[in-house]
Amino acid sequence: MSHWDLDDIDWQAFDRSSVDPDMVRVVKAASLVEYNGDLYGRYLANVFADDDAFVVAAGIWATEEVRHGIALGRWAMMVDPAWDFEAARERFRSEYSQVDLNLDHSVRGSRFSELVARCIVEVGTSSYYTALAEATREPVLRQIFRKIAADEFRHYKLFYDHMKRYRAIDNPNLLTRVRVAVTRLAESEDDELAFAYYVANDVPEAYNRKACAAAYGSRALPHYRQKHIRLAVNMTTKAMGLRPKSRLASLIAWVVCHLFDWRRQRLVRQAPAY
């Protein structure tokens, strides 16, 4: 069941005077990544082909991810009528491929590990859109960010609930759970967002992953506050199977917070002008 659609957004409330140009660049990139959710949905349907309940849930998840991309793309075109969301989306999809739709098994090694990784993704997106919603002054974009953030929190619970089912089946040890989570966290600097930024913003140079990642991160990460980071850490440790108040969870929280601040400062220093 859909929780909202494009007609639930008050598009007439758009206020051009409160638009942040840097936020426009971030939104354009995010719209392409979100729209790619349908490919991940097809991948998950292959991996969990005999689990009808999960396949249905993953299909709903993918539909909502695509809706996020469309909403963000529509807002970006309101700001920049010359920008063509459909053309950018087609270029991104034709030039960037991360999901092997022919696989019938998880690239994470098991279904449980796949679900842990999906939880970590939703941790990132829920905290990300919450931070952006609180940072933006433009009324329509704030509405969109809030609705997407609410979806991403639900998506975390969806994957977490199914993850608990597979934990009983696969019986993974703590080391496996932590390894999968840490590996997926490390992938936050992979090519997807960097290349989406490159395509969405028509960067007039040859693609440079490091530069584009810095250009994107320097505009997005400064909006995070400690409360957003700590919430994300709590959700991450829960997905690992740790109690948020445990000593190990507290240590992980301390390390993540310091690494996040270091990464944010590094990206701001490295960011090019585009």
Side-chain angles (χ1 to χ4, degrees), residues 1 3 60-68 151 154-155:
M1 178 178 125
H3 287 72
I60 295 172
W61 166 81
T63 298
E64 292 180 347
E65 294 294 299
V66 169
R67 184 181 299 117
H68 298 168
D151 281 351
R154 285 192 299 101
H155 294 165

Side-chain angles (χ1 to χ4, degrees), residues 96 186-195 197-198 206-217 263 266-267 270 272 274:
Y96 177 83
E187 291 170 5
S188 62
E189 292 199 47
D190 64 15
D191 266 338
E192 187 174 28
L193 264 174
F195 192 67
Y197 185 92
Y198 176 77
Y207 175 60
N208 181 304
R209 186 200 65 78
K210 184 176 179 180
C212 288
Y216 174 83
R263 182 185 176 213
R266 175 173 60 86
L267 292 178
Q270 294 175 346
Y274 53 71

Side-chain angles (χ1 to χ4, degrees), residues 8-178:
D8 293 322
I9 304 295
D10 182 9
W11 300 99
Q12 300 303 314
F14 178 67
D15 177 12
R16 183 174 296 277
S17 67
S18 61
V19 171
D20 175 358
D22 281 342
M23 189 71 80
V24 178
R25 294 183 176 91
V26 168
V27 168
K28 286 180 177 179
S31 71
L32 304 188
V33 174
E34 291 287 335
Y35 196 95
N36 246 18
D38 64 329
L39 295 183
Y40 287 95
R42 288 160 59 186
Y43 160 76
L44 290 173
N46 290 342
V47 173
F48 293 85
D50 60 348
D51 186 340
D52 293 342
F54 182 78
V55 169
V56 170
I60 295 172
W61 166 81
T63 298
E64 292 180 347
E65 294 294 299
V66 169
R67 184 181 299 117
H68 298 168
I70 294 173
L72 293 170
R74 178 170 170 178
W75 182 86
M77 288 191 293
M78 290 176 71
V79 177
D80 180 6
W83 188 64
D84 189 336
F85 170 63
E86 292 295 330
R89 179 178 63 78
E90 287 299 323
R91 181 187 171 194
F92 179 63
R93 181 160 292 192
S94 66
E95 296 183 24
Y96 177 83
S97 177
Q98 188 180 35
V99 184
D100 186 347
L101 298 178
N102 295 316
L103 287 177
D104 59 1
H105 61 278
S106 172
V107 296
R108 306 291 171 183
S110 72
R111 290 179 173 182
F112 171 82
S113 295
E114 182 66 46
L115 291 168
V116 172
R118 296 317 308 173
C119 283
I120 300 305
V121 172
E122 303 303 331
V123 167
T125 53
S126 58
S127 59
Y128 169 72
Y129 287 111
T130 299
L132 294 186
E134 294 178 6
T136 187
R137 293 173 50 241
E138 202 293 302
V140 175
L141 186 58
R142 190 185 307 122
Q143 289 179 54
I144 296 171
F145 281 156
R146 286 174 175 171
K147 289 183 180 298
I148 295 178
D151 281 351
E152 306 295 15
F153 280 113
R154 285 192 299 101
H155 294 165
Y156 172 86
K157 185 177 186 307
L158 180 155
F159 290 119
Y160 182 80
D161 288 344
H162 284 281
M163 182 198 74
K164 289 193 295 184
R165 285 201 297 124
Y166 280 93
R167 184 168 59 201
I169 297 171
D170 295 345
N171 193 29
N173 58 36
L174 176 60
L175 181 60
T176 297
R177 301 196 299 267
V178 173

Side-chain angles (χ1 to χ4, degrees), residues 248-264:
L248 181 54
S250 296
L251 175 61
I252 291 173
W254 183 87
V255 171
V256 169
C257 286
H258 282 74
L259 285 176
F260 186 92
D261 285 338
W262 170 80
R263 182 185 176 213
R264 174 166 48 193

